[in-house]
Amino acid sequence: MLTPSSPHAVGNQSVQQVMFSVWAATLPGFAALIWFFGWGYLINAVLAVATALVAEAIILRLRRRPVWFFLGDGSALLTAWLLALALPPLAPWWIPVIGTLAAIVFAKHLYGGLGNNPFNPAMVGYAVLLISFPVEMTTRWGIPAALATEAHSLLDSARVIFAGLRVDPALVDGMTMATPLDVYKNDIATLDAAELRAEPLFSAGWRVYGWEWVSGLYLLGGLYLLWRRIITWHIPVAVLGSLTLLALLFSWNPDLRVPVDLHLLGGATMLGAFFIATDPVSAATSNRGKLVFGAGIGILIYVIRTWGNYPDAVAFAVLLMNFAAPLIDHYTRPRVYGEGRS
Amino acid sequence: MNLMRLLRGDTDAPEWYDFPGGVHPPENKTQSLRGPIAEFPLQEEYVVPLNQHIGAVSVPVVEVGESVLTGQVIAEAAGFISAPAHAPTSGTVTAIEDRPVPHPSGLTTGCIIIRADGHDTWRPRTPWAHLQDHHHTDLLARIQNAGLTGLGGASFPTAVKLAADRNHVDTLIVNGTECEPYITADHALMRERPQQILRGIEVAHELYDFRRILIGVEDNKPDAVSALRRALTAIPAELEARIELRVFPTRYPSGGEKQLVYLLTGQEVPAGGLPTDLGMLCHNVGTLAALADAVFDDRPLISRITTLTGNQLPWQGNIEVRLGTDIRTILDWAGYQPDPNRAERIIMGGPMMGFALDQRQLPLVKATNCLLVPTEQELPTPPPAKPCIRCGQCEQVCPAGLLPQQLMWFAQSHEWDKAESHHLFDCIECGACAYVCPSHIPLVQYYRFAKGSIRREQAEHRQSERARLRFEARQARLEREAAEKEARRRQRAEAARARQAEQATTPTADSSPADPVAAAVARSKARKQASQSAAGRATATVSPGAPELTREQLSARLDSQRRRLEKAEAKLAAAAPEHQKAMETTVSKLREQIHKTEQQLADRPEREA
């Protein structure tokens, strides 16, 4: 006879579904990335996911855990996928491979596997890469398709990624550049806002620039996750709210600093707010805690971007707040029914 | 507070207050609501357990072979928190023995087994027409003797609840929520016998003179609501004016006592407290209907309404069934065919808080509000648990405002103090967290485990504290006894010296009053004697003239007795509670013996001197 414990009814959500939904929610943004910046993102994603699955399988075997049971939960796939979205699309092939290995082996399994990692694995992978290979990580971003002098095929992207400068330095130069955030931050020292906005990267507006489409579609994906109740509103709202507030306060003069629209739409902000910072394992848990956690990320993003050396700062902001998550949890416990009131 | 209401500028007292959390599992109520409540046929044998309520096990007052009548008391309440049990039908008591009962532990309990005579002859009854004709103490006694318990599932003795301070309670909360999926016993009752519930309210009102009476019903029971509304028009206006029927959106667990109190009043029962702390009493509709039966018709609790549901039962619906009926018989009656290909799963209660029975041959008890026999498709076996991904869904649905995943980590790592400081004991085990968990972690199991472990540790701590106190008391007593003995010895020494001095001086004085040498010798002897005994030597011979052998024998006996006492006391300090009684008698006997020997020893020199 079976004598299981209550509740006997279980809801229809599963870890797999959660992972799959988050993955699916990134797809519109992913499609826009390929549309605007070429096939490099697809190659990145394939490389990262393949590396992640192989690494996860090997390490599960080493740890004597059931391989298929855990491989099937989709968490390794999602980690690799999110990392691939964050990497420069035309970086050498070993960039996504090393980043994914760092994420899966070091950030995830050395801490005990799914559910036990104190840091967001994808962002650990990203940080390792950014510190170890700063040139590849900052110069190999894609030129928006409309700005490129000629159209580039999947094969061109593959050649740049797998063979790189050895094959054709001119091809690499023709396909890559720095991110808009980086460009604006560096060039505003010498140009004023009006001149900068007249540059090809910024002047063509909505149809060219690309990043605001990508960000907008990430936002859409994030709203889908909210609607599905896979994430709560607290972290994204806190991230975007605090970043907007700081940008309005300190970046009111576009001749001096990167303006608020670029902060929100020009980089990885939306991806970070809805898909990275909301990683439940490494975030704060209570609703109030999530607000504090998200606000911290938004503040750090602005601070690092404005006064630090890195043009985009989502990874470091998230990792720093991961450190703080246990402390935040300790101080933001929700009020229990019947406590403190009569 | 309800934000939408505030935005609308609606500042009147709201119909209901929004409690946090909660889930919406599939309701599955219609299948058992198709027909009216069916009367379950009388059986040949009934098994009445003695612990159908929270509190002390009741005491049988019938003997094997005795004939009983329907409604006759067969077991009496044992103490304040307890309830009597009644014969569910007339017949003969065939046995009083341990039988398996429906309980999560699967343990057996004392039961009274009655073989029915088939006549169902009632004991003489004295119905009451008007409550006003009777004194409150009689009313309370009648309730106490009717064996009523909360019929919502917890089975707390109703008479105990109704003994709450009259001056302090002004609100009655009537729980017609029935938020658990599948269960429709209360729903069917409200639909078919609303007037009975109102009569029960009248009884409680007679005792308390409530300021307001709030009936809470979920909005998935429109027919029950309209039946209640109709019945409300037929009651005295004085009472009707105080009753409010409140309908609120369906959400599990709105029928939890604490949740319902908040839903209806916006007030929270203090942690670790009871609704009476807020001046409220909370009763289930089924309990109130049973209260009316007991008070007006003198019909004690010998039957209840039970829902039979789940797709493994060809007949689904509600039955009015005598307590003690065999559950196997009931399921057979409903056409149950066990599936030989899969493990059997019969749940007493609902899918969220009920427990699986470990066999079918069990008596139906006061708490059996539902028997759920689901198919695998309806309630699939949960897949194996995956690691917690800290998604926080559990926290979003917890109606108590707890951090379920933190509690799980603490339970896993046995950090009981942290679990307690995270309010583990405010968990009502509603199962909402486990229901939404995407990793299918049996969270409620973890909480039960942690609560059980903490309670056990506290019990062990109390026990060791008791042992420590006992040990210290023993040490103090030994010291005191030693001191007393010393004092007695000194006294005897004084007495002996005085006697000796008398003996030594009297003859000298008689024969030669001027013999200074003899007098000096006697004095010095006496001094020596005194200084010896003052030095406290245990072996000091009090009287030199005493025969050595007997005293030695006595003190040897005393020594061995003391050793035995010491051993016995050490054993008593370490004894398990069930052996303490026996050990204590042994120890006190030994003490008596020692006392006797000591007296003998003390008497001996004087008698032999």
Side-chain angles (χ1 to χ4, degrees), chain B residues 445-486:
Chain B
Q445 275 283 68
Y446 278 105
Y447 310 146
R448 290 201 188 109
F449 164 67
K451 285 179 183 174
S453 303
I454 292 172
R455 288 202 186 104
R456 199 179 53 239
E457 250 176 40
Q458 284 170 343
E460 277 167 9
H461 180 73
R462 272 198 301 275
Q463 205 176 331
S464 66
E465 186 68 7
R466 255 206 316 272
R468 188 182 64 81
L469 289 177
R470 254 201 318 267
F471 177 75
E472 283 174 2
R474 171 175 173 271
Q475 287 300 97
R477 180 179 51 73
L478 287 182
E479 276 165 30
R480 196 184 62 235
E481 279 176 3
E484 279 169 4
K485 208 165 77 184
E486 182 56 42

Side-chain angles (χ1 to χ4, degrees), chain B residues 333-456:
Chain B
W333 180 85
Y336 172 59
Q337 298 280 344
D339 181 349
N341 297 321
R342 61 181 279 268
E344 191 167 57
R345 186 162 51 150
I346 299 161
I347 297 163
M348 181 173 129
M352 298 300 283
M353 290 186 79
F355 61 92
L357 302 177
D358 57 353
Q359 56 172 323
R360 262 181 288 156
Q361 196 171 353
L362 298 166
L364 182 130
V365 293
K366 293 175 183 176
T368 314
N369 51 3
C370 179
L371 291 170
L372 168 60
V373 194
T375 59
E376 179 66 21
Q377 288 78 34
E378 284 184 278
L379 290 181
T381 316
K386 287 200 147 96
C388 171
I389 56 167
R390 297 174 29 104
C391 66
Q393 305 267 349
C394 48
E395 191 199 326
Q396 303 297 328
V397 300
C398 179
L402 304 171
L403 292 170
Q405 50 162 317
Q406 255 81 341
L407 290 175
M408 182 207 59
W409 297 117
F410 297 144
Q412 264 182 350
S413 53
H414 294 206
E415 292 174 275
W416 308 135
D417 47 339
K418 280 192 185 167
E420 272 189 277
S421 76
H422 278 68
H423 305 275
L424 173 67
F425 284 95
D426 286 317
C427 168
I428 58 170
E429 296 180 22
C430 68
C433 49
Y435 178 77
V436 296
C437 179
S439 295
H440 304 298
I441 299 169
L443 291 160
V444 182
Q445 275 283 68
Y446 278 105
Y447 310 146
R448 290 201 188 109
F449 164 67
K451 285 179 183 174
S453 303
I454 292 172
R455 288 202 186 104
R456 199 179 53 239

